[in-house]
Amino acid sequence: MKDQTKAWDMVIQPKRGWLEVNFRELWRYRDLLYMFVKRDVITIYKQTVLGPIWFVIQPILTAAIFILVFGNIAGISTDGQPKVLFYLSGIVVWNYFSESFSTTSKTFIENANVFGKVYFPRLIVPFSKVVSGLIKFLIQFAFFFAIYLYFLVGVDDTNIKPNEGLLVLPLLILIMALLGLGLGIIFSALTTKYRDLTFLIQFGVQLLMYATPVIYPVSTIPEKYKKFIMANPMTSVVEGFRYAFLGTGDLNWYGLSYSLVFTLITLFFGIIIFNRVEKNFMDTV
Amino acid sequence: MSKTVIQVENLGKLYRLGEVGTGTISHDLNRWWAQLRGKEDPFSKVGTVNDRTQKAEKGEHVWALKDVSFNVGQGEVLGVIGKNGAGKSTLLKLLSRVTSPTTGHIRIKGRVASLLEVGTGFHPEMTGRENIYMNGTILGMTRKEISAKLDDIVDFAGVAKYLDTPTKRYSSGMQVRLAFAVAAFLEPEILIVDEVLAVGDAEFQKRAIGKMQEVSQGDGRTVLFVSHNMASVSQICSTGLLIENGMMAMLDDVKTVINTYTNKRREVFEGFEYSGPIMDSFIQRFSLCNTAGEEKYEFQFDEPIILKYEMILRNYSKGLNLGLYIQDKHNQRITSIVKELPAPNDDSGCLSIELHLSKQKFLNGSYSISTEIFIPFVDKVHLLKDVLSFEVVDNISPLSRFNNYDMGNFYLEPEFIFK
């Protein structure tokens, strides 16, 4: 039997086994990933009047509202940092995570048409969303960095202290991307069964932001709530990002390892569930 | 005998009818709440109405394809025929890995490209060049391979001048030509083609068929072709596979299979019968008949045509419309009918409709019908593209003596006043 299957290039059979991800095939389709990303970028660039400027307008307006409402009216502490930098750093990080999460969670619903016509490794689609999200993140990050430099160099009276935390920046970005991806593909699989989950995701992501130190620093959280906030894997990412650039906040290895392990487990289960759903997804749509 | 490149063994695909899950959490909760109170499940009425294969009961399974085994040799061109809902599309979907089989397996040697649609992944904002790359990579090519063939593709499609224009500015014919060109230069060892050739103008169809013949004869590549058009099947294919009710009915020389099939067709129901997975609202049966109620697909000029629908409309909502579109032999849409649907009378959601075209003035020729349930500008519910066709034989109209020429599609009953 074994010799027989060897002579064939491909055997199509009923699904079996839990983890049947064909990574070699994914690699073979890398050009498709590139084209999907290119399509995302081109369509954003061409379809709106302001094009990629929107990437920057959105964090500016959000930061302005946050400064007004949370900073000035509610008077929530920013750990003594300039409000603009404090909020912008949180927003930029949160945006990338929530983008990755919500766009990948729509994988099956938005691509039902294409999936019904052509086979390609379906994981390419959520991967491509995370990569196009990264481009958007880099633009927003560059904007943040410009303002950051202004404060660092141009304003004397600040206690901004960039530090060795910057070295883990790539790891932080990786966690944001993979956590969003992992959660997203789990939900994308679930939405094939329950369409109304998409609404849940929409406001769920919004609510989740308040359970993440985007508009407040961890240092202001009362001790009895702290463990709940720390249980959120995005907490350490946002805090770590702030610590690296501003010098206030909390970057500890426990928190970071927790986030990383949480992310890897989520991603692992995500891929398993996604893989199971993708094979017979077309029968239920 | 050439070597076998596709081996299909005991292939089967099971669809579950009835309780598949309602699709939303709120419906599932609703159902659970009803069960808790000992009431009837509010969403369970589906199974009983779908009586396609001898009355499927609630939760029962239907084999869309069962015990199909065959081999295809290298360079062979296999035509898959059968009436709507026989399982052709299911077979194609399994072969192209869009869905996975329930039983059996398919073994394949060589690279497969399936064209269940042309232009998958095309985006109107992208230029012709970008779309070539997009579509090509979706079909499994690498960018390098596409670059090597770009000139051929552009030549074949005849769009060299507009290569850097967004495809939204292309005419629909140009878009189809471009999409087919990408597929034609895919150069896989095995090519699976659905009725994509039905699109495009007559001249382009000729070229497309020519290209397919060239692919199979010249390069020794294998082609699987599914079509309703017996003329093109017999022109391209060497072997025919007839599928009936999900089972293999015949596998033989293409001429023999087509003869058997066309003879059988005359005896049985030729209309459309839905066989896919269950949906909220769908067209279950659709056929044409004459005033005597006999099913018929050939009409005289001026003879009334009656279109009979049986549809299921669960979760009926206002705004649900029936659309009917008629295409002429060049695949140009020549007229449409749109009508809002009334709510079904009973809970089962069954609605039967007779649509009388009493004063039809179609001229000699063949016409195809597409029909759909939809909510205008909002949602497509169930679309049946080119689902039935009919012939009009005209020996009566003043234009009938010009039948050898293309006189158009309608007779207008002109009144002349000579002064």
Side-chain angles (χ1 to χ4, degrees):
Chain A
M1 190 67 196
K2 236 180 188 172
D3 298 333
Q4 217 179 335
T5 44
K6 260 186 188 168
W8 302 93
D9 293 327
M10 184 169 66
V11 179
I12 302 169
Q13 55 194 2
K15 59 158 190 245
R16 58 170 184 216
W18 282 88
L19 192 60
E20 266 186 87
V21 186
N22 190 339
F23 289 101
R24 203 191 306 161
E25 189 185 54
L26 274 175
W27 177 244
R28 201 159 54 75
Y29 273 88
R30 62 190 181 278
D31 279 348
L32 179 59
L33 183 104
Y34 172 86
M35 285 310 297
F36 273 137
V37 172
K38 191 170 175 186
R39 186 174 71 174
D40 280 350
V41 173
I42 286 176
T43 48
I44 289 169
Y45 185 76
K46 284 188 181 167
Q47 268 174 341
T48 59
V49 184
L50 294 174
I53 307 283
W54 277 117
F55 292 163
V56 183
I57 291 177
Q58 189 263 351
I60 292 176
L61 290 180
T62 316
I65 299 285
F66 282 5
I67 290 170
L68 185 70
V69 177
F70 300 114
N72 291 342
I73 299 177
I76 297 171
S77 155
T78 55
D79 270 352
Q81 296 295 350
K83 291 194 177 76
V84 184
L85 286 183
F86 182 86
Y87 291 124
L88 260 186
S89 57
I91 291 165
V92 167
V93 171
W94 183 256
N95 270 356
Y96 184 33
F97 164 75
S98 69
E99 270 276 318
S100 302
F101 179 32
S102 54
T103 51
T104 53
S105 75
K106 291 179 206 138
T107 303
F108 284 112
I109 304 240
E110 286 191 342
N111 294 286
N113 202 14
V114 176
F115 285 3
K117 301 295 182 193
V118 187
Y119 173 81
F120 53 86
R122 307 308 192 206
L123 272 174
I124 293 284
V125 174
F127 284 176
S128 73
K129 292 291 176 199
V130 172
V131 176
S132 21
L134 184 67
I135 293 170
K136 187 172 164 184
F137 168 77
L138 289 176
I139 294 172
Q140 297 190 342
F141 177 77
F143 171 69
F144 161 79
F145 196 70
I147 294 185
Y148 173 74
L149 279 184
Y150 167 75
F151 273 93
L152 193 65
V153 181
V155 183
D156 294 332
D157 191 23
T158 56
N159 57 346
I160 300 172
K161 291 186 222 56
N163 53 62
E164 76 285 354
L166 288 170
L167 293 175
V168 292
L169 195 60
L171 179 67
L172 294 177
I173 296 176
L174 195 70
I175 293 179
M176 294 173 222
L178 295 186
L179 187 63
L181 174 70
L183 288 175
I185 57 180
I186 288 177
F187 275 91
S188 73
L190 294 177
T191 46
T192 59
K193 190 160 163 55
Y194 295 118
R195 293 296 175 91
D196 43 358
L197 267 181
T198 17
F199 302 112
L200 186 73
I201 293 169
Q202 265 172 24
F203 74 78
V205 169
Q206 276 174 19
L207 290 184
L208 200 60
M209 191 189 79
Y210 293 98
T212 313
V214 174
I215 51 166
Y216 52 83
V218 170
S219 60
T220 60
I221 306 167
E223 205 52 44
K224 59 176 174 178
Y225 297 126
K226 208 162 192 165
K227 57 173 180 274
F228 295 112
I229 298 294
M230 292 313 285
N232 177 351
M234 276 305 285
T235 298
S236 297
V237 179
V238 176
E239 281 289 302
F241 187 85
R242 270 197 197 125
Y243 175 76
F245 283 97
L246 305 176
T248 58
D250 186 21
L251 177 73
N252 65 66
W253 293 109
Y254 292 115
L256 212 53
S257 326
Y258 166 74
S259 296
L260 185 62
V261 171
F262 190 98
T263 301
L264 292 179
I265 292 176
T266 310
L267 190 62
F268 178 73
F269 281 108
I271 290 178
I272 288 179
I273 296 174
F274 188 90
N275 208 43
R276 275 189 82 75
V277 167
E278 73 163 32
K279 293 204 167 161
N280 286 309
F281 152 73
M282 281 324 295
D283 306 341
T284 53
V285 175
Chain B
M1 187 70 203
S2 57
K3 66 172 185 171
T4 308
V5 289
I6 304 176
Q7 189 184 60
V8 176
E9 243 172 61
N10 296 323
L11 195 68
K13 177 74 187 174
L14 192 66
Y15 281 112
R16 212 172 83 194
L17 296 181
E19 261 179 85
V20 192
T22 51
T24 63
I25 292 179
S26 56
H27 281 187
D28 264 16
L29 283 177
N30 219 329
R31 164 190 284 174
W32 173 77
W33 176 236
Q35 278 173 354
L36 213 63
R37 289 176 302 163
K39 290 253 177 81
E40 205 184 328
D41 182 347
F43 300 100
S44 75
K45 296 232 169 66
V46 230
T48 48
V49 285
N50 191 314
D51 56 355
R52 170 172 159 267
T53 47
Q54 286 91 46
K55 285 222 164 72
E57 289 298 315
K58 185 169 105 184
E60 204 178 304
H61 296 82
V62 163
W63 287 96
L65 212 59
K66 198 172 190 310
D67 296 333
V68 173
S69 308
F70 61 91
N71 292 333
V72 184
Q74 192 184 358
E76 200 174 322
V77 184
L78 181 72
V80 181
I81 53 180
K83 64 173 190 172
N84 268 312
K88 296 186 309 271
S89 315
T90 308
L91 178 64
L92 234 62
K93 280 184 175 165
L94 291 175
L95 279 164
S96 48
R97 299 169 75 193
V98 165
T99 181
S100 69
T102 316
T103 62
H105 40 240
I106 305 167
R107 298 203 177 94
I108 291 172
K109 227 177 263 174
R111 194 162 86 165
V112 182
S114 60
L115 293 177
L116 305 193
E117 176 188 71
V118 287
T120 312
F122 264 38
H123 196 289
E125 293 286 345
M126 296 205 294
T127 64
R129 184 195 307 272
E130 285 160 348
N131 271 321
I132 291 176
Y133 280 95
M134 184 74 242
N135 186 230
T137 48
I138 279 195
L139 291 170
M141 285 198 266
T142 61
R143 280 187 291 145
K144 219 168 139 190
E145 287 173 299
I146 300 168
S147 302
K149 287 173 196 148
L150 191 66
D151 291 341
D152 292 340
I153 293 174
V154 174
D155 263 5
F156 187 82
V159 293
K161 263 201 246 165
Y162 312 99
L163 199 54
D164 293 304
T165 312
T167 43
K168 66 177 174 188
R169 304 231 175 83
Y170 283 29
S171 72
S172 59
M174 271 162 77
Q175 289 184 20
V176 171
R177 282 208 304 275
L178 182 66
F180 186 84
V182 178
F185 288 93
L186 201 53
E187 299 192 354
E189 280 96 3
I190 299 166
L191 185 66
I192 301 173
V193 188
D194 202 354
E195 278 185 291
V196 285
L197 293 179
V199 290
D201 51 40
E203 193 241 314
F204 177 69
Q205 284 188 23
K206 221 185 270 169
R207 268 165 76 193
I209 287 178
K211 180 73 194 167
M212 276 174 63
Q213 278 175 323
E214 184 191 313
V215 159
S216 62
Q217 288 163 5
D219 312 345
R221 275 181 265 138
T222 313
V223 181
L224 257 78
F225 181 52
V226 170
S227 178
H228 280 112
N229 188 341
M230 291 307 137
S232 50
V233 170
S234 63
Q235 195 182 344
I236 303 172
C237 304
S238 49
T239 324
L241 171 67
L242 175 62
I243 297 188
E244 272 173 359
N245 297 322
M247 315 269 252
M248 255 176 74
M250 207 178 173
L251 177 66
D252 208 332
D253 174 71
V254 72
K255 298 256 153 47
T256 323
V257 175
I258 288 180
N259 276 340
T260 316
Y261 175 62
T262 41
N263 285 338
K264 264 188 189 166
R265 258 179 79 123
R266 299 219 171 87
E267 297 154 22
V268 293
F269 178 68
E270 295 176 52
F272 166 81
E273 240 184 317
Y274 182 67
S275 64
I278 213 85
M279 297 191 285
D280 274 349
S281 300
F282 60 95
I283 298 167
Q284 195 172 33
R285 280 169 86 103
F286 176 46
S287 58
L288 307 187
C289 53
N290 62 12
T291 40
E294 292 159 349
E295 202 185 323
K296 227 180 144 186
Y297 295 89
E298 202 179 285
F299 298 88
Q300 298 296 319
F301 175 80
D302 218 9
E303 182 188 357
I305 301 176
I306 298 170
L307 299 92
K308 279 188 173 175
Y309 285 91
E310 279 172 40
M311 52 181 77
I312 304 294
L313 305 174
R314 291 189 302 135
N315 302 341
Y316 172 84
S317 65
K318 236 180 131 51
L320 220 49
N321 275 260
L322 174 70
L324 175 83
Y325 316 102
I326 298 180
Q327 283 85 234
D328 68 3
K329 52 191 169 296
H330 306 303
N331 237 308
Q332 296 295 322
R333 180 171 295 178
I334 49 169
T335 186
S336 306
I337 297 171
V338 175
K339 176 78 182 164
E340 178 151 359
L341 289 166
N345 290 325
D346 56 1
D347 291 345
S348 65
C350 296
L351 182 68
S352 296
I353 303 171
E354 272 188 19
L355 169 55
H356 293 244
L357 303 178
S358 310
K359 290 180 187 157
Q360 62 92 358
K361 298 289 178 206
F362 288 114
L363 289 177
N364 210 51
S366 58
Y367 300 87
S368 72
I369 304 178
S370 301
T371 186
E372 69 174 329
I373 305 178
F374 70 120
I375 301 170
F377 318 117
V378 178
D379 199 9
K380 283 180 189 153
V381 180
H382 189 200
L383 169 67
L384 301 172
K385 209 164 177 286
D386 294 329
V387 61
L388 294 178
S389 54
F390 64 90
E391 295 274 337
V392 172
V393 180
D394 172 20
N395 303 316
I396 316 162
S397 86
L399 287 172
S400 60
R401 62 197 178 101
F402 302 110
N403 272 351
N404 287 334
Y405 301 91
D406 189 351
M407 301 304 284
N409 300 313
F410 290 113
Y411 183 63
L412 280 179
E413 295 185 275
E415 281 177 44
F416 289 95
I417 297 150
F418 298 104
K419 284 183 179 166

